[in-house]
Structures are given as C-alpha cells and as structure tokens.
C-alpha cells in the first residue's frame, strides 16, 4: 500500500515534463525555465531529502527513549522555515548576479531566466517543510498521504499549465510548481496536526537539544551538495551548445528518472522507517545487516536487467515520449543519445540509495558525505 501510494504520487509528477514538451517543445523559453528549475532543484535537493530521511531515525530513537517527539518536531519546523527562506533568497541573489559569468545565455534571454528564478525560489523553503513533515509522518509509518501529496502538486502544475499557458507561456509552469507545493504543505501540516500519535508542541527554544540533529544533517548535506552539483554544472555547460540543448538534457533526465524515482521514493521509503524501528528496537545491528544483504542482492539483479532493457529500447521509448510533440528531429536524436548514456548509471545509483538508507538508520551521515564527494570526483 505504501509503495503504491508513493508510486502513484511520484508517477504523476514524472509526466509533467511530457506535457511541457507537448505545450512548449524545445526553445529558448524552455531552456530558461529548465535552467532556473535546475538551480532551484539543486538547492532543494540539498536539504529536502536530508530532512525527510534524517528525521526518521531521530524520531524512532526519541520514541524509544520516551522523550517528547512533539516538542522536537516543534523546534524543527520554524528552524527549517527561517533558515531555508534566508538561504533561498541568498542563493537567488547570488545566481542572478553571476548569470552572465557562469552561463552562456544570449543577453536577451537573461531577463526570462532571472524571472523564472525569482518565481521558483519559494519552492526551496516550501519543499523543505513538506519533506520534514513527510519524514515525520513516515516515522510513524504513515506513508499514504506523503506519497500521494506529490501527485496533488503535480496535478496543480498541470492544471496551471493547461489553463495559463496561452497567457503566461512557460511561466505558467513556474506558478504551478509553487502553488502546488504550497497546497501540498498545507495538506501535510493538517495531517500532522490531526495525527493521534503525535501532539505537536511549540518549543520554548529553537536550538535546545538540536546539536546532534544539525550535525548529522549537516554531514549528509555536504554529501548532497557533492552528488547534486553535477547536474547543475551540466546545464551551465549546455548554455553554450545552442538553443534547445538544456531542454534536451532535461527531457532525457526526466525520462531516466522514472525508474530511479519509483524505486527511491517507492519501496525504499518504507525501508528507512522499518529499519529504524528494528535497529532501535529488538532487531539491532544483526537484523539490519540481514535485511540490507537481501535488499542489495535482489535490487542489483532487478536494476541490472532494467538498465540493459532500457538501453536496448532507448530510441522507441524516446520516440514514444516526445516524438509527437513537435520536437525537431535533431533534438529528438540528442535526447535519445543522452537517455541511453544515462541508463548506464541506473544500477549504481539505485544501490547507492539502499546503502544511504542503511547509513541513515545508524546515523552514519559521515559515510554519506564521503560517498557524495567520491561521486562528484568521479
């Protein structure tokens, strides 16, 4: 049930780029949007998955020790909102200032890039808060709403795009993402308040008892910076490859991410919660090792087969996804080639997600940081 809810919610989000391709094809406007979205997503992916995952073993440990989880979460929410709002504004100001030096966009396209950046920046604190609440609900083994809420966001993105594309152009998608994430946050917060197993409490101090959480989250954040820096560098380099290059790269990435997201946010979401409860309960480290070994074996077999199959059929898949969207033939060939190359990374990427959840269970975020640095160096 949990896997189905996560796959349904994330699955709807994965179809958004196909509608963007159908509505806007590949142009300088989509290049501007995808670059802005990549930058905002880069900052978001540094923090949101960290908060969603790191909070689970901490809550499991707090519950096992009989401490007040409601006050712990009550500290995290405002601390996250304030720090991520300040960081996202600083990041927006920095990249807007540096655009002419770190990209090769023609001067006439920079205003649209800056506008998309400004409109998408609120996604950072909104997504971080949504992820923190989703992780809290997951820690109590409530998986359905956190998984389905991503589908609500995607539905709002598609509705805004369909209704406003003739009036706002590609900016309708930016508006949809922010509106969708805000509604998702409100739904998750309402579920948190209504939870019978957690009474949310306002903390008298934001920082009391938060040292270990901040330290562990900070170590994983360094690893996320290292691992997520490559895609944003790729798009910076693609700005000098002509109109449509960034869009082609983004469309290929989205198609590649379908099996990655289905695995990482589907059944792997439940792994972290179950492993945390077992590790801090009766199973201990021996139970975690047995479960991890089984998971790695089966996942490696399935991921290797999926990777080989997707590489084999990459051209018809890309044609099915984008062939009827008015794409130029050359852009379609670029997307197909990029998609085939990306699938070589499917097996190691999915296995790394499993290992990451095992390290998170035992709070070894230093190992996650080191893995991210190794990935960047590679």
């Amino acid at each position: 049930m949990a896997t189905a809810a996560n796959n349904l919610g994330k699955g709807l989000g994965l179809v958004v780029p196909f509608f963007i391709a159908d509505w806007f094809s590949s142009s300088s406007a989509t290049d501007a949007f995808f670059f802005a979205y990549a930058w905002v997503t880069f900052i978001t992916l540094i923090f949101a998955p960290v908060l969603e995952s790191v909070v689970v073993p901490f809550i499991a440990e707090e519950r096992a020790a009989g401490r007040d989880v409601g006050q712990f979460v009550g500290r995290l929410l405002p601390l996250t909102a304030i720090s991520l709002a300040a960081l996202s504004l600083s990041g927006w100001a920095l990249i807007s200032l540096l655009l002419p030096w770190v990209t090769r966009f023609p001067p006439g396209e920079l205003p649209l890039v800056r506008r998309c950046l400004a409109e998408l920046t609120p996604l950072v604190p909104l997504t971080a808060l949504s992820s923190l609440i989703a992780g809290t609900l997951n820690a109590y083994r409530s998986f359905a709403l956190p998984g389905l809420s991503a589908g609500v966001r995607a539905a709002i993105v598609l509705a805004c795009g369909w209704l406003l594309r003739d009036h706002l152009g590609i900016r309708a998608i930016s508006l949809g993402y922010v509106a969708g994430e805000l509604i998702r946050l409100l739904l998750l917060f309402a579920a948190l308040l209504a939870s019978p197993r957690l009474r949310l409490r306002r903390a008298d101090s934001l920082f009391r008892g938060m040292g270990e959480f901040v330290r562990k989250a900070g170590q994983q954040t360094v690893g996320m910076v290292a691992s997520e820096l490559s895609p944003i560098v790729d798009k910076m380099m693609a700005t000098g490859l002509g109109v449509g290059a960034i869009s082609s790269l983004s469309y290929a990435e989205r198609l590649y991410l379908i099996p990655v997201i289905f695995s990482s946010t589907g059944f792997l979401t439940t792994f972290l919660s179950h492993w945390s409860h077992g590790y801090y309960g009766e199973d201990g480290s021996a139970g975690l090792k047995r479960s991890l070994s089984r998971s790695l074996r089966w996942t490696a077999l399935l991921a290797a087969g999926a990777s080989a199959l997707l590489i084999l059929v990459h051209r018809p898949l890309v044609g099915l996804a984008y062939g009827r969207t008015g794409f130029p033939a050359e852009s379609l060939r670029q997307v197909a080639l990029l998609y085939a190359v990306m699938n070589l990374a499917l097996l190691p990427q999915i296995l790394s997600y499993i290992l990451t959840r095992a390290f998170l269970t035992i709070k070894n975020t230093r190992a996650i940081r080191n893995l991210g640095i190794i990935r960047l160096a590679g």
Side-chain angles (χ1 to χ4, degrees), residues 351-368:
L351 291 181
S352 72
Y353 285 151
I354 294 179
L355 291 171
T356 295
R357 279 154 178 80
F359 285 132
L360 283 169
T361 299
I362 62 175
K363 298 183 182 179
N364 188 359
T365 51
R366 182 178 300 174
I368 299 173

Side-chain angles (χ1 to χ4, degrees), residues 152-369:
V152 173
R153 175 186 59 198
I156 294 170
V157 174
L158 293 175
C160 287
W162 183 67
L163 292 171
L164 301 175
R165 67 184 189 274
D166 293 333
H167 304 285
L168 298 178
I170 193 67
R171 293 176 50 233
I173 305 298
S174 301
L175 174 64
Y177 270 112
V178 174
E181 193 60 52
L182 177 60
I183 293 174
R184 178 187 178 222
L185 173 60
L186 294 176
L187 287 173
L188 290 171
F189 188 67
L192 184 65
L193 292 178
S195 175
R197 292 176 289 178
L198 173 64
R199 183 182 177 185
L200 189 64
R201 295 178 56 191
R202 185 174 64 182
D204 52 357
S205 172
L206 293 183
F207 301 100
R208 183 180 301 168
M210 299 303 296
E212 185 184 7
F213 182 88
V214 172
R215 184 172 64 256
K216 296 294 184 181
Q219 289 175 345
Q220 188 182 350
T221 297
V222 173
M224 293 299 291
V225 170
S227 63
E228 297 299 332
L229 188 60
S230 295
I232 192 68
V233 172
D234 290 343
K235 290 179 176 61
M236 287 181 178
M237 295 174 65
T239 59
L241 298 179
V243 173
I246 297 177
S247 299
S248 295
L249 181 59
S250 299
Y251 289 137
E253 281 179 346
R254 285 296 172 167
L255 197 57
Y256 162 74
L257 285 174
I258 290 176
V260 175
I261 290 179
F262 274 146
S263 60
S264 65
T265 61
F267 68 92
L268 289 182
T269 301
T270 62
F271 276 19
L272 181 57
S273 178
H274 289 302
W275 284 352
S276 296
H277 283 280
Y279 182 76
Y280 294 102
E282 297 179 355
D283 295 342
S285 60
L288 176 61
K289 289 177 181 178
R290 287 194 300 268
S291 181
L292 175 61
S293 178
R294 288 195 302 267
S295 301
L296 288 173
R297 286 198 304 270
W298 282 104
T299 304
L301 181 63
L302 293 172
S307 178
L309 178 62
L310 291 172
I311 293 173
L312 183 65
V313 299
H314 72 280
R315 287 187 179 179
L317 275 180
V318 170
L320 180 65
Y322 300 116
R324 292 178 293 175
T325 59
F327 254 49
E330 180 59 30
S331 295
L332 204 60
R333 284 193 292 270
Q334 288 178 354
V335 173
L337 177 60
L338 289 166
Y339 176 62
V341 173
M342 288 176 182
N343 273 296
L344 295 172
L346 184 62
L347 172 61
Q349 184 159 4
I350 293 179
L351 291 181
S352 72
Y353 285 151
I354 294 179
L355 291 171
T356 295
R357 279 154 178 80
F359 285 132
L360 283 169
T361 299
I362 62 175
K363 298 183 182 179
N364 188 359
T365 51
R366 182 178 300 174
I368 299 173
R369 177 199 63 193

